[in-house]
């Protein structure tokens, strides 16, 4: 079955689908992102890139397999995509090995090259070890991720631990000394490993040049290879695949003069620092902050909080509703969870449900530009307001897209682990540039 879609991106969360598809948008491609239980292509949108989120990062391996298999069978195999890219988390959360193998087996492809480095964000792979600004993963805050803690830094070991013991031999690595020699030696090593039956092949990378050389080798191989990586690897591939002309494709969006609503359910230290920096930034005025407390979550006072937000969403005001302070007192939180007989995972999901209900109530009564922070938060908020597809229309900050849904609602989504301490400030400034 033919379609105008040229490239498919399959991600395990919404922010990942968005920041990856943005890399192709920046090359002039019209891009559509779909998400939800019923992922489908809106064929009325003339797009060259179709990205989808299976929302499977925090699921069990069995549930993740089912979700990815459904997407592969009903989207990837149904439509005539020339290229397919598997987006994975650059800090390796999720069911990476299971999801990649599910796609390979369904498509009957030979192998996957997994290069999760994102040098522009300080994520590199050396000797198979994933580093964040030079620090091994297990010594960063992702080791304390409430939903998907990472307690191992070696990518090869992470993948092997996600597989049955008898399948561990299908995982191998292309080391940095080979990668630094360029696409030719990478291709030779890659073909050799595939000939030996390797299916999941990790590649070291410490620079954008490394990603580009790996991407070139992948595209030159005679094997059917699934490239897997972060937005950084997608950027490298976009330079090679060149799905469309850059001429006359991009039209700078006309930005309405509306207040901004920032909804953050991310518990990362980086998100907390970004909110703190926005609070302290004197050049952005009329900003109102609402720190969600545990009692809000259990009392379900969403309508009352929504009205507080609406009362402050006037003119060019900015309202930030966030939950990061809930996680700061671990002893108090543990006592609260025991008292309410709820697991930490369930409580985190309940926070996102709460924020999405507030968002739905606000947007039903007033107009605003919506900025969501955190993968699960973004997904639930967008579904709560009736969205299942987005079109990418601009880049707000590095790896952070501006999208628009079928109702014309402007939406920015940002991963909780992405950006610098100034990223929220940069996002707000983007909307003030023409005012």
């Amino acid at each position: 079955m033919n379609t105008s879609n040229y490239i498919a991106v399959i991600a395990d969360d919404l922010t990942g689908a968005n920041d990856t598809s943005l890399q192709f948008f920046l090359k002039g491609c019209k891009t559509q992102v779909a998400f939800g239980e019923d992922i489908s292509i809106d064929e009325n949108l003339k797009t060259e890139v179709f990205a989808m989120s299976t929302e499977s990062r925090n699921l069990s391996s069995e549930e993740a397999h089912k979700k990815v298999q459904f997407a592969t069978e009903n989207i990837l195999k149904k439509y005539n995509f020339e290229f397919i890219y598997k987006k994975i988390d650059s800090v390796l959360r999720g069911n990476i090995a299971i999801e990649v193998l599910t796609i390979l087996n369904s498509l009957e492809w030979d192998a996957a090259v997994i290069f999760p480095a994102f040098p522009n964000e300080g994520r590199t792979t050396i000797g198979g070890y994933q580093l964040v600004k030079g620090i091994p993963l297990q010594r960063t805050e992702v080791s304390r991720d409430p939903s998907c803690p990472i307690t191992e830094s070696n990518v090869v070991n992470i993948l092997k631990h996600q597989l049955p013991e008898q399948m561990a031999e299908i995982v191998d690595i292309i080391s940095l000394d080979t990668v630094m020699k360029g696409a030719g030696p990478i291709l030779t090593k890659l073909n050799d490993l595939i000939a030996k039956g390797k299916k999941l092949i990790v590649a070291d990378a410490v620079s954008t040049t490394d990603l580009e050389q790996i991407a070139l080798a992948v595209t030159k191989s005679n094997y059917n290879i699934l490239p897997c990586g972060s937005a950084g690897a997608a950027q490298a591939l976009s330079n090679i695949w060149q799905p469309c002309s850059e001429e006359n494709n991009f039209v700078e969006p006309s930005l309405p003069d509306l207040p901004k609503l920032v909804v953050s359910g991310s518990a990362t230290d980086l998100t907390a620092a970004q909110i703190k920096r926005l609070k302290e930034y004197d050049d952005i005025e009329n900003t109102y902050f609402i720190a969600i407390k545990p009692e809000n979550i259990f009392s379900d006072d969403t309508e009352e909080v929504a009205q507080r937000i609406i009362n402050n969403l006037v003119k060019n005001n900015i309202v930030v509703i966030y939950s990061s302070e809930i996680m700061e007192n671990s002893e108090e939180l543990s006592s609260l969870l025991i008292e309410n007989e709820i697991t930490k995972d369930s409580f985190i999901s309940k926070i996102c449900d709460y924020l999405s209900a507030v968002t739905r109530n606000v947007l039903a009564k007033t107009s605003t530009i919506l900025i969501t922070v955190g993968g699960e938060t973004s997904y639930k908020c967008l579904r709560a307001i009736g969205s299942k597809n987005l079109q990418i229309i601009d880049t707000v900050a590095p790896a952070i897209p501006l999208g628009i849904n079928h109702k014309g609602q402007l939406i920015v989504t940002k991963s909780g682990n992405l950006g610098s301490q100034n990223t929220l400030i940069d996002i707000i400034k983007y909307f003030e540039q023409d005012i």
Side-chain angles (χ1 to χ4, degrees):
M1 180 177 182
N2 291 324
T3 175
S4 62
N5 296 75
Y6 196 84
I7 295 172
V9 174
I10 180 166
D12 64 357
D13 83 335
L14 177 57
T15 54
N18 283 343
D19 65 39
T20 301
S21 59
L22 175 62
Q23 308 311 312
F24 299 102
F25 170 82
L26 292 173
K27 292 297 176 184
C29 303
K30 295 178 180 177
T31 304
Q32 177 185 170
V33 182
F35 45 93
E37 296 296 326
D38 50 348
I39 295 173
S40 61
I41 292 178
D42 184 346
E43 298 192 13
N44 293 318
L45 301 176
K46 301 300 181 182
T47 55
E48 291 88 13
V49 176
F50 177 76
M52 70 190 97
S53 170
T54 55
E55 294 303 315
S56 51
R57 176 172 296 175
N58 298 325
L59 300 180
S60 69
S61 58
E62 294 80 7
E63 291 173 312
H65 165 74
K66 290 178 182 178
K67 287 250 188 180
V68 174
Q69 187 171 52
F70 174 85
T72 304
E73 295 293 331
N74 290 277
I75 301 293
L76 298 184
K77 291 181 71 173
K78 181 178 179 181
Y79 292 89
N80 188 29
F81 293 107
E82 185 166 354
F83 303 110
I84 297 173
Y85 182 71
K86 176 68 176 86
K87 164 63 168 66
I88 63 174
D89 185 26
S90 62
V91 291
L92 304 176
R93 293 168 299 174
N95 299 282
I96 296 172
I98 297 299
E99 294 195 9
V100 172
L101 274 180
T102 298
I103 298 172
L104 289 180
N105 292 336
S106 185
L107 297 178
E108 298 182 345
W109 282 15
D110 299 300
V113 172
I114 298 170
F115 46 137
F118 195 172
N120 290 345
E121 288 292 323
R123 287 97 194 263
T124 55
T125 315
I126 305 174
Y129 285 84
Q130 193 73 355
L131 310 177
V132 178
K133 297 181 179 178
I135 301 173
L137 277 184
Q138 67 199 82
R139 293 186 177 178
T140 70
E141 67 167 308
V142 296
S143 67
R144 306 187 303 275
D145 187 286
S147 299
C148 189
I150 302 298
T151 57
E152 166 70 63
S153 302
N154 188 285
V155 184
V156 172
N157 290 341
I158 290 173
L159 297 176
K160 286 182 177 181
H161 292 160
Q162 294 177 359
L163 298 171
E165 187 175 345
Q166 65 272 21
M167 295 184 68
E169 64 183 21
I170 71 171
V171 185
D172 216 313
I173 185 170
I174 301 176
S175 61
L176 188 60
D177 59 345
T178 299
V179 171
M180 290 192 300
K181 293 174 184 176
I186 297 171
L187 178 58
T188 299
K189 181 66 173 179
L190 177 58
N191 288 341
D192 179 58
L193 290 174
I194 296 174
K196 292 178 179 178
K198 306 301 181 180
K199 288 282 190 179
L200 305 181
I201 301 169
V202 177
D204 281 349
V206 298
S207 69
T208 299
T209 298
D210 293 338
L211 296 180
E212 291 169 347
Q213 294 304 303
I214 297 166
L216 183 58
V218 168
T219 60
K220 293 295 183 181
S221 178
N222 291 325
Y223 288 106
N224 289 319
I225 298 175
L226 177 68
C228 310
S230 68
Q235 182 182 44
L237 282 162
S238 71
N239 293 328
I240 298 169
W241 288 344
Q242 295 180 348
C244 51
S245 169
E246 296 183 29
E247 295 181 5
N248 301 321
N249 261 344
F250 178 72
V251 178
E252 188 171 338
S254 176
L255 301 177
D257 188 9
L258 289 173
K260 272 69 70 176
L261 172 61
V262 180
V263 182
S264 175
S266 169
T268 67
D269 294 343
L270 178 58
T271 295
Q274 290 168 343
I275 292 172
K276 182 175 184 291
R277 185 64 63 89
L278 180 59
K279 285 182 178 180
E280 296 170 346
Y281 191 72
D282 293 334
D283 289 349
I284 295 178
E285 300 177 345
N286 304 317
T287 306
Y288 182 67
F289 293 87
I290 301 176
I292 295 302
K293 306 295 183 184
E295 51 264 33
N296 295 115
I297 307 301
F298 290 109
S299 66
D300 196 24
D301 57 353
T302 55
E303 291 188 10
E304 177 186 338
V305 172
Q307 192 57 52
R308 284 174 59 194
I309 292 173
I310 292 168
N311 292 342
N312 286 277
L313 277 177
V314 295
K315 298 183 179 179
N316 294 320
N317 284 12
I318 300 150
V319 177
V320 181
I321 179 171
Y322 63 102
S323 63
S324 53
E325 291 184 4
I326 292 178
M327 300 296 175
E328 290 180 355
N329 191 329
S330 57
E331 290 185 7
E332 181 180 331
L333 178 60
S334 296
S335 299
L336 182 69
L337 297 181
I338 293 171
E339 179 184 338
N340 287 273
E341 298 181 340
I342 185 172
T343 66
K344 195 171 186 178
D345 280 353
S346 297
F347 182 63
I348 291 168
S349 183
K350 196 173 180 67
I351 290 172
C352 294
D353 290 336
Y354 178 90
L355 291 172
S356 65
V358 170
T359 302
R360 180 179 61 246
N361 289 338
V362 171
L363 266 64
K365 298 176 182 177
T366 192
S367 296
T368 182
I369 294 168
L370 178 62
I371 301 164
T372 59
V373 182
E376 186 176 358
T377 303
S378 297
Y379 170 74
K380 288 188 172 181
C381 284
L382 267 61
R383 291 297 285 176
I385 63 173
S387 302
K388 57 182 289 187
N389 290 74
L390 286 179
Q391 279 188 290
I392 305 300
I393 61 172
D394 203 3
T395 177
V396 174
I400 299 175
L402 172 64
I404 188 168
N405 72 2
H406 65 290
K407 299 177 182 178
Q409 173 67 53
L410 291 176
I411 300 165
V412 175
T413 63
K414 190 192 83 66
S415 167
N417 275 305
L418 194 66
S420 69
Q421 291 190 1
N422 288 324
T423 295
L424 278 181
I425 293 172
D426 294 339
I427 292 172
I428 300 300
K429 281 186 171 182
Y430 165 86
F431 290 103
E432 296 181 345
Q433 60 189 336
D434 295 326
I435 295 174

